[in-house]
């Protein structure tokens, strides 16, 4: 059985909006953000993202875990990777003029490859830009699980123009993640009761992966079996017979049109600025160089 | 839709034989039956007898989802069903699966019940009206706007049924619908099935709780063994045909028939003795979330050496939550739990697992190994036992749960009943001193579970056993102590002859007296203790 995300009614402006308008807003903003590498533009979106986040009125307690996850991902993986390699962005970060802060050459033992993760001012600025960019997108979507009424999952996607079958699948898929989390915790408990200690994984990588089998196998098998059950249960209730009715009805109100208009404006403006005016490429502020004494 | 609806029988099956492509032997052999309008047909038999396969053949999942060789004919109102699409079939034949969790798709009750009608493309107003009517009919209108995930087992079962009934099927297939229900909910569900049949719905009820199903007077019974029909006729003569050791029959029938057989020779090895405390709950209260609803309230309880405890109570009473504290998977919000004198807060689950073995309700969440033998060795290996001790423990566990010959099979390929026995054996192999089992008999045949319960109680090495169950008769046959839970509190605790004779208390805890309890109450002045029906048959007449 699928589990829904922890949704609750909060009586906020965001939750009073039509979920279709909200999706249009989120997608427009996402497609706008990905067009920019210029931190000046990105900060504009960053402010909108956080403004939206605070309007959702989520508490720190309920979002603590997701924030830990997101910050680890953005800072440790994306941030550090960007500082070390400069990859993952536009070419000019690596190609343009370099102001090297710290140079090191390291030869990998046995294989003899040379790695030179030179830290440049450009890479640092790029890392910050990249983190702002990623955070702006992530922060837009964090509230979704908490504020998107599970009752309206399917009808929202249908209302956005997806076919019946895809909309129902999206409804089910949206609930797959919390279901997996629930199954995982039941399996973890069952195996702990058999003396299994996930904290005590020892040995090399392969050995460690093998020792994860008691957790991974039951969860995977359950997911597959659960998928078959869902297909059978849908068949037994005439799914896919003809065009279906959706009992929940969504209706746009004036405020939804305002939001959609705004979204379209932002996306069109961004696209024009980027493609039409050629703005938004990686920007290297002069004061950043001066800050490091160049 | 069906032209001959008025004249032809709703369902006729002629010479049905089916073999799954994945299995060597046929699951159904030459089964024939006729289901009349408004008839309630009980299909009974041990697990693996072909009951579920029969249901799948009728509702179209065979051959559409499950592949195999199908012979014979299925006629719906005189028309061959093999040419119909699933969707068309499903408008006439409604199916309620064994586990409502596997059937519920919607996140809210309203969405769930409406799902089928939405697929039929009916107008929105009509759907809502029919959903409300159906919820009202089943007496669950108050659940309409609830999230399905948070419903109790009994409520889920009713919601799943509502999702099918709302489509107005004229044939209803019910596959072990009582499996996840507490006795009171099961009685309610059965009464409902009778009412539906009386109103003209033709029902096939697959159930191995034969005793319970007989209480609503099915019109006919089909009894199956290894895919064949061994009895098909009125319920009254069933008792003469089936073995009372294989299928659970009403106590008075067992007593009558067992009188001519030798008396059972069951003597439990584990006996109450020095009253040494093994597990102690001190003022334990618990809620899953800090400011969430309280699930366990102020429980004080001591499990002594020699106790065989049956923990009874309705769905959602907090039974599982309580016993999860004993192995340290949950820690109390207030109070403390001591295992062997140590606070569970200061021990890891693995440490507690040395003394306390815990069998989870669902086997599918724990089985992972490529063979049954490796699966059973997993626990003892984690606990660091020596090789010979592991082999010995595994062999004995295999013996007790009747899995001999399946040691090299992958557990994930076994039937549900067998998987459940593997999950019990996996804990038995750890040779813990205290054994805790959550619903050990769920999904098991009567014969199988009685056999392994007998063996477990005769197995040396246990100092205490606790099992959670909905089956009052299991408590009567095995427990030396009964604990009743109701709404997170302990409502009754004592020897079975004390707790289970308080019928008012049982009613308060939604427990329905069984025929075995009634027989025992009658015999109690002569026996002085509770016993199984076979033993009652040999009590001398006063």
């Amino acid at each position: 059985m699928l589990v829904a995300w922890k949704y609750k009614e909060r009586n906020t402006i965001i939750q009073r909006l039509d979920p279709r308008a909200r999706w249009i807003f989120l997608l427009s903003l996402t497609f706008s953000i990905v067009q920019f590498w210029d931190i000046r533009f990105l900060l504009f979106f960053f402010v909108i993202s956080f403004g939206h986040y605070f309007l959702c009125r989520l508490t720190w307690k309920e979002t603590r875990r997701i924030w830990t996850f997101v910050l680890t991902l953005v800072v440790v993986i994306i941030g550090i990777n960007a500082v070390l390699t400069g990859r993952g962005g536009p070419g000019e970060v690596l190609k343009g003029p370099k102001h090297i802060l710290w140079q090191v050459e390291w030869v990998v033992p046995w294989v003899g490859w040379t790695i030179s993760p030179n830290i440049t001012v450009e890479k640092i600025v790029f890392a910050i830009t990249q983190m702002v960019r990623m955070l702006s997108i992530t922060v837009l979507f964090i509230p979704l699980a908490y504020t998107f009424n599970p009752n309206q999952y399917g009808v929202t996607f249908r209302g956005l123009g997806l076919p019946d079958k895809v909309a129902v699948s999206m409804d089910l898929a949206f609930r797959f993640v919390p279901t997996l989390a629930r199954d995982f915790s039941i399996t973890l408990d069952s195996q702990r009761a058999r003396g299994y200690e996930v904290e005590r994984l020892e040995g090399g990588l392969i050995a460690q992966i093998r020792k994860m089998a008691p957790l991974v196998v039951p969860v995977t098998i359950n997911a597959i079996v659960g998928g078959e059950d869902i297909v059978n249960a849908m068949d037994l209730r005439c799914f896919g017979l003809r065009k279906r009715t959706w009992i929940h009805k969504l209706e746009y109100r004036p405020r939804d049109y305002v939001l959609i208009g705004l979204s379209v404006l932002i996306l069109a403006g961004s696209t024009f600025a980027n493609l039409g005016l050629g703005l938004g490429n990686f920007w290297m502020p002069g004061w950043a160089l001066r800050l490091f004494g160049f | 839709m069906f032209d001959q609806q008025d004249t032809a029988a709703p369902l006729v099956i002629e010479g049905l034989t089916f073999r799954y492509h994945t299995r060597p032997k046929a699951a159904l052999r030459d089964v024939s039956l006729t289901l009349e309008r408004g008839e309630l047909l009980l299909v009974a038999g041990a697990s693996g007898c072909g009951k579920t396969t029969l249901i799948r053949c009728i509702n179209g999942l065979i051959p559409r989802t499950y592949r195999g060789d199908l012979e014979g004919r299925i006629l719906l109102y005189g028309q061959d069903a093999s040419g119909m699409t699933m969707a068309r079939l499903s408008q006439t034949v409604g199916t309620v699966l064994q586990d409502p969790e596997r059937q519920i798709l919607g996140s809210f009750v309203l969405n769930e019940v409406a799902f089928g009608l939405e697929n039929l493309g009916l107008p929105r107003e009509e759907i809502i009206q029919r959903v409300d009517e159906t919820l009202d009919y089943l007496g669950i209108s108050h659940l309409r706007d609830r999230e399905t995930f948070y419903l109790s087992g009994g409520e889920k079962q009713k919601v799943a049924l509502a999702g099918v009934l709302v489509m107005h099927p004229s044939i209803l297939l019910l596959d072990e619908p009582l499996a996840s229900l507490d006795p009171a909910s099961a009685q309610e569900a059965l009464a409902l099935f009778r009412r539906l049949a009386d109103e003209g719905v033709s029902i096939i009820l697959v159930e191995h709780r034969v005793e319970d199903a007989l209480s609503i007077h099915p019109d006919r019974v089909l009894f199956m063994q290894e895919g064949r029909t061994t009895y098909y006729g009125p319920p009254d003569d069933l008792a003469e045909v089936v073995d009372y050791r294989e299928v659970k029959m009403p106590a008075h029938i067992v007593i009558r028939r067992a009188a001519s057989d030798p008396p059972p020779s069951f003597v439990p090895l584990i006996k109450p003795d020095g009253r040494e405390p093994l597990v102690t709950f001190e003022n334990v209260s618990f809620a899953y979330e800090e400011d969430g609803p309280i699930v366990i309230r102020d429980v004080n309880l001591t499990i002594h050496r020699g106790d065989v405890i049956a923990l009874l109570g309705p769905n959602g009473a907090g039974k599982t939550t309580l016993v999860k504290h004993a192995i340290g998977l949950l820690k109390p919000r207030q109070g403390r739990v001591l295992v062997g004198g140590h606070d569970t807060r200061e021990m890891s689950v693995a440490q507690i697992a040395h003394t306390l073995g815990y069998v989870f309700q669902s086997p599918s969440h724990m089985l992972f190994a490529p063979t049954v033998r490796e699966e059973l060795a997993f626990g003892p290996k984690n606990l660091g036992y020596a090789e010979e001790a592991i082999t010995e423990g595994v062999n004995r566990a295999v013996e007790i749960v009747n899995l001999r010959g399946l040691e090299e099979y992958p557990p994930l390929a076994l039937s549900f009943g067998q998987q459940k026995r593997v999950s019990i054996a996996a804990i038995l192999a750890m040779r813990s001193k205290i054994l805790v089992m959550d619903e050990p008999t769920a999904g098991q045949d009567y014969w199988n579970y009685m056999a392994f319960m007998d063996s477990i109680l005769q197995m040396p090495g246990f100092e205490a056993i606790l099992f959670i169950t909905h089956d009052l008769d299991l408590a009567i046959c095995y427990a030396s102590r009964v604990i009743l839970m109701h709404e997170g509190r302990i409502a009754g605790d004592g020897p079975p002859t004390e707790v289970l004779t308080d019928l008012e208390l049982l009613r308060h805890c939604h427990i329905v007296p069984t025929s075995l309890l009634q027989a025992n109450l009658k015999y109690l002045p002569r026996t002085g203790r509770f016993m199984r029906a076979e033993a009652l048959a040999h009590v001398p007449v006063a």
Side-chain angles (χ1 to χ4, degrees), chain B residues 323-338:
Chain B
V323 295
K324 276 190 179 170
H325 279 83
I327 190 156
L329 285 170
L330 298 175
K331 315 278 175 179
R333 296 243 174 219
Q334 275 165 34
R336 57 178 192 159
V337 179
L338 305 174

Side-chain angles (χ1 to χ4, degrees), chain B residues 350-419:
Chain B
Q351 279 172 319
I352 302 176
H354 277 274
T355 39
L356 192 146
Y358 183 98
V359 182
F360 272 70
Q361 203 170 349
S362 149
S364 63
H365 283 106
M366 63 175 266
L367 302 177
F368 73 97
T371 65
V372 168
R373 188 181 296 283
E374 285 169 76
E375 188 72 59
L376 301 194
F378 176 70
K381 263 187 198 156
N382 285 331
L383 299 184
Y385 291 162
E387 202 64 49
E388 306 87 70
I390 295 177
T391 315
E392 199 204 316
V394 168
N395 286 338
R396 191 151 51 161
V398 164
E399 208 64 63
I400 285 174
V401 299
N402 184 29
L403 286 171
R404 178 75 54 229
L406 295 174
E407 293 95 327
E408 305 307 323
Y409 268 61
L412 288 165
L414 300 175
S415 75
F416 179 82
Q418 289 166 331
Q419 286 190 353

